[in-house]
Amino acid sequence: MLRFDDSTCDTGHDICRWTFEATDNQKLANAADVLIGRPLTIVTLLLLLLIVRWILHRLVDRLVARAEDGVLPDRVSRFGIRGRAAQQATARDLATQTRRVQRAKTMGDLLKSVITGLLVAVIGTMVLSELGVDIAPIIASAGIIGIALGFGAQSLVKDFLSGVFMIFEDQYGVGDVVDVGEASGTVEAVSLRVTRLRDLNGTVWYVPNGAILRVGNMSQNWSRAVVDVNVAYHEDLVRAQRVLREVAHDLWEDEDFSDLIIEEPEVTGVEVFGPESVTLRVLIKTAPMEQWGVARALRQRIKARFDHEGIEIPLPQRVVWHREEQRTGSSPEGEEPVQG
């Protein structure tokens, strides 16, 4: 009975071992290992590469599909806008959806490329090992490069990862007005590493994605105009609130603003007791990025209506004391407060 010598074939080369056990010929066993065993192992590794790549790409496609759907509902379906407003809102939502789909597909292609590159590097190294190439220097070099990148590019990796999640979650996009903490303004460009903003003064800000801890998006789905109106303490607050409701309702009924205002305005009542006045608040839900124009128009109408109704919008007041020095032998003079 033939006895198999483990030193004849390398560990893990089953074709060589089986051939040697069957023929007791070392040369034939080595030839079978070279002609059958190694090609079969390489083909198996390539099939494993294709299968793992297909599975991971399917997962990326599912993530891209979720990113294309977005995280917030459509404003038209949620608030039931009608007529011309619905058409314009639909056009804006379509543009937003198109932009979101493009960004999601771009991120999907990038992730697929990264996955393919990593799998090719790993499987390629294993194939080289099967071909008899010494892969120890390759692994050592990869380890050194990984350590160098880990220490030298921490912020870069953080920026890229933050950019990936930001794009997938659709936190903001080009054209949105956002507040990212240190800077706020209109988004002009979004990349995986940096976001470019332009503020109200025209200054361009470049913000690394890794430095963004929180994002306030003022133009996603809908916005709200908050208008505070000061009235004097001696005014009838019930009457003032009634006038505000009438002015806000007239703005809501105005055809020029029917495409901009989503819901009828709300007068919440007294908000603050200030030193010189009482503050009343009006809330208006508007289309994205339209809150500032609507608020300006409402303030102008409130000022005109208050002037017509005789409702006072008080100005800050101060008291000035005039003091005069008393002369020797003269009667003291009083001090008069002058209010202005």
Side-chain angles (χ1 to χ4, degrees):
M1 183 176 180
L2 298 176
R3 295 181 60 187
F4 175 68
D5 185 4
D6 291 339
S7 63
T8 303
C9 299
D10 295 334
T11 303
H13 289 224
D14 294 334
I15 298 296
C16 176
R17 180 171 58 84
W18 293 339
T19 304
F20 184 80
E21 290 177 349
T23 62
D24 195 23
N25 189 321
Q26 181 177 353
K27 292 184 178 180
L28 183 61
N30 293 335
D33 182 62
V34 172
L35 297 177
I36 300 176
R38 291 184 179 178
L40 184 61
T41 302
I42 293 174
V43 171
T44 303
L45 291 174
L46 294 178
L47 289 176
L48 179 63
L49 168 65
L50 295 177
I51 293 173
V52 174
R53 178 178 177 272
W54 180 82
I55 294 174
L56 294 179
H57 281 201
R58 287 294 301 271
L59 293 177
V60 171
D61 290 337
R62 294 185 63 179
L63 291 176
V64 169
R66 292 183 60 183
E68 290 177 355
D69 294 336
V71 296
L72 293 175
D74 293 336
R75 178 171 55 83
V76 175
S77 60
R78 180 174 179 178
F79 298 109
I81 310 176
R82 304 178 301 276
R84 185 177 57 184
Q87 297 177 358
Q88 294 186 357
T90 302
R92 285 193 295 266
D93 291 340
L94 180 60
T96 302
Q97 175 70 13
T98 302
R99 183 192 68 199
R100 186 166 56 229
V101 169
Q102 292 174 348
R103 290 205 317 268
K105 288 183 177 179
T106 301
M107 283 305 308
D109 294 340
L110 176 62
L111 289 179
K112 288 180 180 179
S113 300
V114 172
I115 290 172
T116 301
L118 291 177
L119 290 177
V120 168
V122 174
I123 301 298
T125 303
M126 298 174 66
V127 170
L128 291 177
S129 177
E130 289 294 328
L131 295 176
V133 178
D134 186 10
I135 63 174
I138 299 176
I139 297 176
S141 300
I144 295 173
I145 294 174
I147 293 174
L149 290 176
F151 282 101
Q154 295 183 26
S155 61
L156 184 62
V157 173
K158 182 179 179 181
D159 293 341
F160 270 88
L161 291 178
S162 299
V164 168
F165 286 108
M166 177 200 68
I167 292 177
F168 268 117
E169 295 172 0
D170 192 27
Q171 297 179 11
Y172 57 84
V174 176
D176 289 345
V177 179
V178 299
D179 182 353
V180 294
E182 295 295 332
S184 61
T186 304
V187 178
E188 289 191 341
V190 180
S191 65
L192 288 179
R193 194 188 71 83
V194 70
T195 296
R196 190 177 75 215
L197 304 175
R198 186 179 296 273
D199 64 13
L200 187 62
N201 297 323
T203 304
V204 177
W205 296 86
Y206 294 89
V207 184
N209 294 330
I212 300 176
L213 301 180
R214 60 50 161 193
V215 178
N217 194 327
M218 292 174 276
S219 54
Q220 202 166 46
N221 272 14
W222 56 270
S223 301
R224 174 173 283 137
V226 180
V227 179
D228 289 335
V229 182
N230 297 328
V231 298
Y233 273 97
H234 61 78
E235 296 291 346
D236 185 355
L237 296 182
V238 176
R239 175 169 171 263
Q241 292 183 59
R242 177 177 55 80
V243 172
L244 287 177
R245 290 191 183 92
E246 292 176 357
V247 175
H249 182 76
D250 292 341
L251 187 68
W252 157 256
E253 294 291 339
D254 194 332
E255 294 183 357
D256 294 336
F257 293 90
S258 60
D259 299 334
L260 307 179
I261 302 177
I262 296 175
E263 295 180 355
E264 186 168 0
E266 176 187 3
V267 179
T268 60
V270 178
E271 292 292 331
V272 178
F273 288 113
E276 297 92 9
S277 61
V278 179
T279 301
L280 305 177
R281 176 165 293 178
V282 183
L283 300 179
I284 307 178
K285 188 173 291 186
T286 69
M289 300 178 62
E290 300 293 343
Q291 64 269 33
W292 301 290
V294 172
R296 287 191 290 268
L298 179 62
R299 292 190 188 99
Q300 182 176 351
R301 295 191 178 203
I302 290 174
K303 175 62 168 60
R305 181 65 180 276
F306 273 24
D307 290 344
H308 177 74
E309 298 288 341
I311 300 176
E312 179 184 356
I313 301 178
L315 298 175
Q317 299 182 8
R318 62 181 179 178
V319 176
V320 180
W321 291 83
H322 294 281
R323 298 180 180 272
E324 295 183 1
E325 296 182 358
Q326 298 180 3
R327 297 181 181 179
T328 305
S330 61
S331 60
E333 300 201 9
E335 299 174 351
E336 291 187 356
V338 178
Q339 188 174 10

